[in-house]
Amino acid sequence: MDKFKAFLQGLPRRQKRLIQVAVDVVLIWCALWLAFVVRLGIDEMSNPLVQHLWLFVSATLVAIPLYARFGLYRAVMRYFGNDALIAIIKAVSLSSLILGVIVYWYSNHKNVVPRSIIFNYWWLSVIMVGGLRLAMRQFFLGDWFAAAQHVPFTRRDDGLPRVAIYGAGAAGNQLVAALRIGRVMRPVAFIDDDCSISNRVISGLQVYKPKHIQKMIDVTGAQEILLAVPSSSRGRRREILGFLEGYPLHIRSVPGFMDLASGRVKVDDIQEVDIADLLGRDPVPAQSELLERCIKGKAVLVTGAGGSIGSELCRQILEMRPTCLVLFEHSEFNLYSILSELEQRVIREALSVRLLPILGSVRDQSKIFDVLKTWRVDTVYHAAAYKHVPMVEHNIAEGVLNNVVGTLNTAQAALQAGVSNFVLISTDKAVRPTNVMGSTKRLAEMILQALSRELAPVFFGDSANISRVNKTRFVMVRFGNVLGSSGSVIPLFHKQIKSGGPLTVTHPKITRYFMTIPEAAQLVVQAGSMGRGGDVFVLDMGEPVKIAELAEKMIHLSGLSVRSENNFHGDIAIEFTGLRPGEKLYEELLIGDNVVATQHPMIMSANEDHLSWDVLKGKLTELLAAVDQDDYTRVRQLLRDTVSGYSPDGEIVDWIYQQRRLDP
């Protein structure tokens, strides 16, 4: 049978159509012959082929061209659906109507054709033509009982993973159809909150209430649950995931309709549960005025354009229709990746935006100034920074030079070039930091705070002592961790679960704020449009999340159990490795309590202490001298004196410092 199926599928399209036409001719004659049988009976009926041959010929000549016109010979049997059935009914109905007219005009007293013959011919043709095509679809799919799990004696083990669909709506039914065609998984049941459809059968699958999931598992042997609730809020999905966590099932989801419409994913793309659903945060609708204020019709530059935040900023900036988008990045690969993505989008959406990829470092102030001046940049989003806490702790000099000097150079170049808006992407680790990364990011904030209060500052390192008119509005946006960014714990947990564990968490009580990258980038753009200058904006990150609890949820939603002292037979263990150098148990977003609301409900403005520009320049001179001499004890002390709340834990772990102590 498989060979015959493969033979039919391998035939040229022309031969397939000829076979379909020939079969339809036979079906038309059979339907017409049976129409006489139903009307006259076998005993009293003479052979209609002999007596009414003209009718059989007429039926064929009428029906076949109509079937072709309605697309019956263009439909692919494996994907035969409701639209094709409707086309069959239309084609058969019209052909029967025309045949009825022919019978009316050409029949006579010698060749009387009963009028009920036409009606019988119509319903028999619908059943035979449509039924054969449905049967052939099931034959090519190789699954005669795919839609009959509730029918006794039809179960069979085909080796496919059994999955239940949470959500019996449009998305759930589309998913069932895609799974049956793809034959990668076998749908066995629906789960839905709607009491009006519980215990009913939809697409051949029993619908269970959520409280009957254990019964569903026992009856169907389901191994996974696929979430098909794309229109639900994140809060609702969080409730669903929390409920499903107690069952030994792997939970995955299907993409939303907007992702399908945009072409980013396909209907049968099934993904792991979005961690954002576990957080339950529903993004606040963006305010278009704030989004467009500093971007639409302007030249925009993004430093660190190939990074996690920088690349998402570029995607969202493109939507606001700037005249020019400058991608400033020191990594060739990252720059190439984001440029390729944006170029395809510009072509696809016919955008009139000029993309300019610039390889360069924020440590080179003259290069940045040349770029800003050449393309008359109006707005700068400064996302370039080293953000990995332990990495910067082991490489103090690079952290200072990139995060502090890089921000200083970019800000001074922007001021010199007359840039109107400058937005610094900061971090919650800048608040009472215990690490070099956080302290350097706070120092970067202080540079902008000091510059914003100078009407005509003299640049740091300017021996000519020239005052420059300040026309730049400097603002800072501070937020916590973003899901899926480089160095994020979420991709690490996914990788560790796939490899069988264990999941590594630094401390049982460690907590972090989380936000999705698109939401963070959108809020950064909106926050950057507010304030008069020197403002520190803080994003509402919601409630902090315990990393250990997040690890447990990810294990449970993968259909696995946590191995612990109380469960020696669990699948994956969670190991606590201890806090890394410079790591805090919890992060904060505010240094003081001076915070005020803004016009956006998710954005607050913090009023925090800062140093004057002249005093800060002296501190920077001492700091860079200490870095140049690799005097990291002095670097730490200067950061203590300059950055409010900086209290490093443990010894200095910079690689150069440690090696010099070993080899004095």
Side-chain angles (χ1 to χ4, degrees):
M1 191 63 69
D2 290 338
K3 290 182 178 179
F4 179 63
K5 186 194 306 181
F7 168 74
L8 290 177
Q9 290 176 336
L11 289 175
R13 186 64 185 156
R14 182 180 179 85
Q15 292 186 25
K16 290 179 181 177
R17 288 182 177 177
L18 289 174
I19 292 173
Q20 285 182 286
V21 170
V23 171
D24 280 343
V25 170
V26 173
L27 292 177
I28 290 168
W29 284 38
C30 289
L32 197 54
W33 189 83
L34 287 174
F36 279 96
V37 172
V38 172
R39 172 64 178 83
L40 303 175
I42 292 289
D43 296 334
E44 299 181 7
M45 182 187 71
S46 58
N47 189 351
L49 271 173
V50 176
Q51 190 174 1
H52 303 289
L53 180 61
W54 66 273
L55 184 61
F56 284 80
V57 175
S58 298
T60 304
L61 294 177
V62 169
I64 296 302
L66 284 174
Y67 289 2
R69 180 66 182 84
F70 278 86
L72 269 62
Y73 304 123
R74 294 194 300 270
V76 179
M77 288 294 183
R78 282 169 288 175
Y79 307 119
F80 190 83
N82 294 336
D83 292 340
L85 281 175
I86 293 173
I88 288 174
I89 294 173
K90 289 180 179 180
V92 171
S93 299
L94 185 57
S95 65
S96 300
L97 182 63
I98 295 173
L99 188 62
V101 173
I102 293 173
V103 168
Y104 175 77
W105 285 105
Y106 292 99
S107 61
N108 51 52
H109 66 281
K110 295 182 179 179
N111 293 312
V112 177
V113 178
R115 283 172 290 183
S116 60
I117 292 294
I118 301 301
F119 175 73
N120 291 339
Y121 167 71
W122 172 78
W123 65 262
L124 284 167
S125 294
V126 169
I127 292 175
M128 296 176 73
V129 175
L132 179 64
R133 280 164 169 77
L134 287 174
M136 293 305 293
R137 181 186 69 176
Q138 296 304 110
F139 171 72
F140 285 120
L141 288 176
D143 194 353
W144 292 94
F145 303 110
Q149 274 82 4
H150 63 291
V151 178
F153 312 114
T154 60
R155 289 187 186 176
R156 61 189 182 87
D157 185 9
D158 53 9
L160 298 178
R162 294 174 171 266
V163 297
I165 314 298
Y166 198 112
N173 280 274
Q174 287 178 9
L175 179 59
V176 168
L179 292 177
R180 285 173 174 165
I181 291 172
R183 296 198 43 78
V184 177
M185 300 177 180
R186 171 174 287 276
V188 294
F190 276 119
I191 305 167
D192 203 281
D193 303 313
D194 189 351
C195 295
S196 65
I197 61 173
S198 62
N199 297 322
R200 296 179 64 183
V201 174
I202 297 177
S203 295
L205 304 180
Q206 183 81 30
V207 182
Y208 291 85
K209 294 181 180 179
K211 64 181 181 181
H212 296 150
I213 288 181
Q214 188 57 56
K215 176 184 175 183
M216 181 274 296
I217 296 173
D218 297 337
V219 171
T220 65
Q223 302 159 293
E224 295 188 25
I225 289 183
L226 304 181
L227 297 182
V229 285
S231 60
S232 296
S233 66
R234 280 193 182 145
R236 176 59 188 145
R237 289 201 291 270
R238 182 184 184 182
E239 292 177 9
I240 294 172
L241 292 173
F243 179 78
L244 296 176
E245 190 182 346
Y247 297 95
L249 296 166
H250 187 182
I251 314 299
R252 293 197 281 177
S253 64
V254 294
F257 290 120
M258 291 307 295
D259 291 329
L260 295 173
S262 65
R264 289 193 291 268
V265 293
K266 301 175 183 177
V267 176
D268 54 353
D269 280 346
I270 297 171
Q271 58 207 22
E272 296 299 325
V273 169
D274 190 347
I275 302 301
D277 292 340
L278 292 177
L279 305 181
R281 287 171 51 88
D282 287 307
V284 175
Q287 298 181 18
S288 58
E289 179 188 354
L290 292 177
L291 284 175
E292 297 176 351
R293 183 176 295 171
C294 298
I295 297 174
K296 189 172 183 178
K298 301 180 184 297
V300 180
L301 179 141
V302 178
T303 68
S308 304
I309 294 294
S311 59
E312 182 61 30
L313 278 171
C314 292
R315 295 182 190 102
Q316 299 202 17
I317 288 169
L318 204 60
E319 292 183 10
M320 300 303 114
R321 304 298 195 269
T323 57
C324 171
L325 176 56
V326 182
L327 315 173
F328 196 86
E329 172 63 55
H330 79 283
S331 168
E332 182 186 28
F333 175 76
N334 288 351
L335 182 60
Y336 171 77
S337 299
I338 185 62
L339 176 66
S340 300
E341 177 186 336
L342 297 181
E343 283 180 334
Q344 291 177 7
R345 185 172 166 190
V346 167
I347 295 171
R348 184 171 63 248
E349 300 179 15
L351 302 177
S352 59
V353 179
R354 186 180 182 188
L355 298 176
L356 295 167
I358 304 294
L359 276 172
S361 170
V362 290
R363 296 189 195 179
D364 187 346
Q365 182 171 329
S366 62
K367 175 67 175 288
I368 302 171
F369 171 73
D370 286 342
V371 173
L372 294 174
K373 194 69 175 176
T374 301
W375 282 283
R376 298 185 180 134
V377 172
D378 297 290
T379 302
V380 171
Y381 292 95
H382 182 49
Y386 289 144
K387 305 180 183 72
H388 195 274
V389 170
M391 193 71 72
V392 176
E393 207 68 21
H394 287 296
N395 298 272
I396 292 175
E398 290 301 307
V400 171
L401 293 174
N402 202 63
N403 294 356
V404 178
V405 177
T407 301
L408 175 66
N409 289 343
T410 310
Q412 291 189 154
L415 192 151
Q416 185 180 358
V419 171
S420 300
N421 309 291
F422 187 103
V423 183
L424 169 68
I425 313 301
S426 190
T427 171
D428 58 353
K429 295 174 178 61
V431 178
R432 282 182 278 274
T434 59
N435 50 68
V436 175
M437 194 281 278
S439 63
T440 55
K441 290 297 286 183
R442 175 55 190 152
L443 196 50
E445 291 180 356
M446 293 171 69
I447 290 171
L448 299 193
Q449 286 178 305
L451 277 174
S452 67
R453 284 162 175 80
E454 295 289 325
L455 296 177
V458 176
F459 282 179
F460 175 81
D462 186 0
S463 57
N465 206 34
I466 299 174
S467 297
R468 302 178 188 273
V469 178
N470 186 355
K471 297 181 180 179
T472 305
R473 183 178 62 90
F474 294 101
V475 298
M476 295 131 274
V477 186
R478 186 187 292 163
F479 55 92
N481 297 323
V482 289
L483 298 172
S485 64
S486 57
S488 172
V489 70
I490 306 303
L492 175 63
F493 283 171
H494 276 306
K495 183 178 179 181
Q496 290 175 336
I497 289 173
K498 287 182 179 179
S499 62
L503 268 62
T504 54
V505 180
T506 56
H507 194 280
K509 295 183 179 180
I510 193 168
T511 63
R512 288 292 181 266
Y513 290 100
F514 284 101
M515 180 179 282
T516 65
I517 294 178
E519 183 182 8
Q522 189 179 79
L523 289 173
V524 164
V525 172
Q526 293 177 88
S529 299
M530 298 188 291
R532 298 180 179 178
D535 307 81
V536 177
F537 292 106
V538 179
L539 305 187
D540 182 355
M541 300 292 295
E543 295 298 321
V545 177
K546 277 191 174 182
I547 303 300
E549 291 182 0
L550 184 61
E552 289 183 8
K553 287 180 180 292
M554 291 183 65
I555 291 173
H556 290 151
L557 293 173
S558 297
L560 305 171
S561 59
V562 179
R563 189 187 311 141
S564 62
E565 294 180 357
N566 300 324
N567 183 17
F568 290 104
H569 301 290
D571 299 301
I572 295 181
I574 296 176
E575 291 186 0
F576 298 102
T577 58
L579 292 175
R580 298 173 295 179
E583 194 170 38
K584 296 169 68 174
L585 273 180
Y586 61 93
E587 302 291 358
E588 304 169 88
L589 289 168
L590 298 171
I591 296 176
D593 297 325
N594 301 321
V595 61
V596 295
T598 68
Q599 65 190 89
H600 195 290
M602 297 288 286
I603 303 173
M604 300 170 289
S605 178
N607 298 313
E608 297 179 347
D609 296 333
H610 64 279
L611 299 176
S612 68
W613 179 236
D614 289 335
V615 172
L616 188 58
K617 284 196 294 183
K619 297 287 187 181
L620 291 174
T621 300
E622 293 183 64
L623 179 64
L624 295 182
V627 169
D628 189 53
Q629 297 166 11
D630 291 329
D631 187 353
Y632 298 113
T633 304
R634 177 65 176 157
V635 169
R636 174 177 279 194
Q637 187 57 48
L638 287 168
L639 289 174
R640 280 179 187 268
D641 296 341
T642 309
V643 177
S644 175
Y646 176 49
S647 55
D649 293 331
E651 299 181 354
I652 298 173
V653 295
D654 182 88
W655 295 122
I656 296 176
Y657 175 83
Q658 288 183 322
Q659 189 61 33
R660 286 187 176 176
R661 289 186 64 185
L662 294 174
D663 302 319

